[in-house]
């Protein structure tokens, strides 16, 4: 089995992005012959062409398109290594890397970052929003310092600390006739209305399956989305009803949706997640306190931290 080295990957990526030998040479600050030689050597090594040459331009083969996604992933990892190396060389201190569930990352965590930065301007902060499986992996691979998740993150090397719980809401378009119905009449009415669900690989999908089962409703979405933020947008434009978390509801503009009096007891827990054997840095602890303050200002219930 033939393999590619990092230089070959870099050249392949540059040609894919620019579409030409000349463009790749300019991107990599090398000569055109050097790019041509490396590309020819790479194709000879793997045994099949990566590009079709038509009138001076290079068009990627189906194999090249399949390879490109993985190459982009490798390139991002290399860039991350270089960023870490740069920080070490510059002896930079106070870099806080945060990963967050999308629901928390649209407004709640950014608000906490703004409050944190007012009194910690020397600390560089980065925020990435991702699903809980990627959030878990980033923490385990030490690509992030702290994570904030809306769903359980179970791993023996990670510690999850409950911070707060938030409500789960069944929402429909503003002033919809559903909002006028009594709670006992809602399940039947909802069964006849388009429903905005979640992609099967998202935690909200599993959660909604159980929630609708408690209402006696079949899970038959008309539209699938990957986050409650997108679900709220579709509810607001009249596409149907959905089940969303309270924070996404507020961040999306609560005035444009109606909350139905159903599933009133449902709750989700916001948790701080970090490596179990690595104590939080002082500025990480400070950020957690700012996040708790943001939650408190929003009227959310706070748990005591052990």
């Amino acid at each position: 089995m033939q393999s590619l080295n990092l230089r070959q990957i870099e050249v392949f990526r540059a040609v894919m992005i620019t579409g030409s030998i000349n463009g790749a040479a300019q991107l990599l600050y090398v000569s055109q012959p050097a790019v041509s030689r490396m590309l020819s050597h790479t194709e000879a090594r793997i045994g099949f062409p990566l590009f079709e040459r038509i009138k001076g331009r290079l068009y990627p083969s189906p194999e090249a398109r399949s390879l490109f996604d993985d190459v982009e992933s490798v390139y991002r990892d290399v860039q991350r290594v270089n960023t870490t190396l740069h920080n070490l060389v510059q002896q930079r201190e106070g870099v806080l890397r945060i990963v967050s569930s999308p629901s928390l990352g649209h407004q709640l965590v950014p608000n906490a970052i703004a409050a944190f930065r007012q009194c910690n301007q020397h600390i560089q902060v980065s925020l990435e929003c991702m699903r809980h499986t990627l959030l878990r992996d980033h923490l385990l691979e030490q690509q992030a310092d702290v994570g904030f998740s809306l769903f359980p993150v179970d791993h023996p090397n990670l510690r999850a600390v409950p911070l707060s719980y938030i409500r789960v809401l069944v929402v429909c378009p503003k002033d919809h006739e559903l909002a006028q119905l009594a709670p006992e009449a809602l399940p039947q009415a909802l069964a006849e209305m388009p429903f905005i669900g979640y992609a099967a690989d998202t935690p909200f999908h599993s959660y909604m399956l159980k929630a609708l089962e408690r209402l006696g409703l079949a899970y038959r979405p008309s539209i699938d989305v990957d986050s409650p933020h997108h679900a709220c947008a579709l509810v607001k434009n009249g596409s149907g009803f959905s089940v969303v978390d309270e924070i996404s509801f507020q961040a999306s503009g609560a005035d444009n949706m109606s909350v139905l009096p159903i599933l009133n007891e449902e709750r989700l827990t916001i948790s701080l997640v970090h490596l179990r054997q690595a104590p939080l840095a002082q500025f990480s602890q400070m950020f957690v306190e700012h996040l708790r303050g943001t939650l408190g200002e929003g009227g959310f219930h706070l748990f005591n931290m052990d």
Side-chain angles (χ1 to χ4, degrees):
M1 177 180 176
Q2 301 297 344
S3 59
L4 302 179
N5 59 38
L6 286 177
R7 186 56 175 171
Q8 290 170 325
I9 289 173
E10 187 177 35
V11 169
F12 167 71
R13 177 181 180 274
V15 175
M16 284 290 291
I17 290 173
T18 63
S20 69
I21 296 294
N22 180 50
Q26 293 181 20
L27 184 64
L28 298 174
Y29 299 102
V30 297
S31 67
Q32 294 184 46
V35 173
S36 294
R37 286 194 299 271
M38 178 61 74
L39 187 58
S40 296
H41 175 72
T42 300
E43 291 179 323
R45 182 179 178 83
I46 62 178
F48 57 82
L50 293 170
F51 299 93
E52 183 179 359
R53 293 151 177 85
I54 303 176
K55 296 182 179 180
R57 285 194 62 83
L58 300 180
Y59 294 87
S61 65
E63 293 83 0
R65 295 185 185 278
S66 297
L67 186 62
F68 184 62
D69 287 341
D70 288 336
V71 164
E72 279 290 88
S73 178
V74 170
Y75 184 78
R76 286 193 296 269
D77 289 341
V78 170
Q79 291 296 97
R80 190 176 293 116
V81 170
N82 287 334
T83 299
T84 301
L85 178 61
H86 175 75
N87 291 341
L88 292 172
V89 170
Q90 297 297 322
Q91 295 184 341
R92 294 178 61 178
E93 297 181 358
V95 178
L96 177 59
R97 301 167 301 169
I98 303 168
V99 287
S100 168
S101 294
S103 293
L104 309 178
H106 284 299
Q107 183 170 315
L108 176 70
V109 175
N111 286 350
I113 290 174
F116 173 79
R117 284 276 300 159
Q118 286 181 1
C119 50
N120 297 278
Q121 296 184 8
H122 62 289
I123 296 177
Q124 177 187 348
V125 181
S126 69
L127 168 64
E128 289 188 79
C129 297
M130 55 189 62
R131 296 177 185 174
H132 73 301
T133 52
L134 287 176
L135 182 150
R136 176 200 63 198
D137 294 344
H138 266 60
L139 291 167
L140 289 171
E141 295 166 7
Q142 300 185 46
Q143 297 176 13
D145 303 303
V146 290
F148 300 98
S149 179
L150 199 52
F151 287 92
V153 180
D154 298 320
H155 193 280
N157 293 335
L158 295 176
R159 179 176 181 236
V161 181
L163 298 179
S164 173
Y165 65 71
I166 61 174
R167 295 180 298 155
V168 175
L169 308 175
V170 181
V171 293
C172 69
K174 183 69 174 177
D175 299 326
H176 193 279
E177 58 185 17
L178 282 171
Q180 311 303 320
L181 296 179
E184 59 271 16
L186 280 171
Q188 181 177 353
L190 290 173
E192 300 172 1
M193 184 178 181
F195 161 50
I196 300 153
Y198 295 93
D201 60 346
T202 63
F204 263 99
H205 177 270
S206 299
Y207 186 87
M208 185 171 275
L209 278 174
K210 297 175 183 176
L212 291 185
E213 182 179 346
R214 286 191 283 275
L215 293 177
L217 294 175
Y219 185 84
R220 297 193 185 96
S222 303
I223 304 171
D224 275 337
V225 295
D226 64 352
S227 77
H229 187 75
H230 296 140
C232 286
L234 286 162
V235 170
K236 287 193 295 184
N237 68 26
S239 296
F241 80 95
S242 191
V243 180
V244 303
D245 64 274
E246 185 176 7
I247 289 180
S248 294
F249 174 75
Q250 292 184 359
S252 298
D255 293 341
N256 297 315
M257 290 176 280
S258 292
V259 178
L260 303 179
I262 197 168
L263 291 179
N264 294 331
E265 301 303 317
E266 296 291 324
R267 299 290 186 271
L268 291 171
T269 300
I270 299 173
S271 295
L272 158 69
V273 189
H274 64 90
L275 283 175
R276 186 176 295 278
Q277 302 302 324
L280 289 179
Q282 183 177 5
F283 52 79
S284 295
Q285 297 178 28
M286 293 168 60
F287 178 78
V288 172
E289 288 306 311
H290 278 86
L291 182 65
R292 283 171 56 83
T294 302
L295 285 164
E297 291 171 3
F300 297 105
H301 172 83
L302 292 176
F303 295 117
N304 293 324
M305 293 184 64
D306 297 327

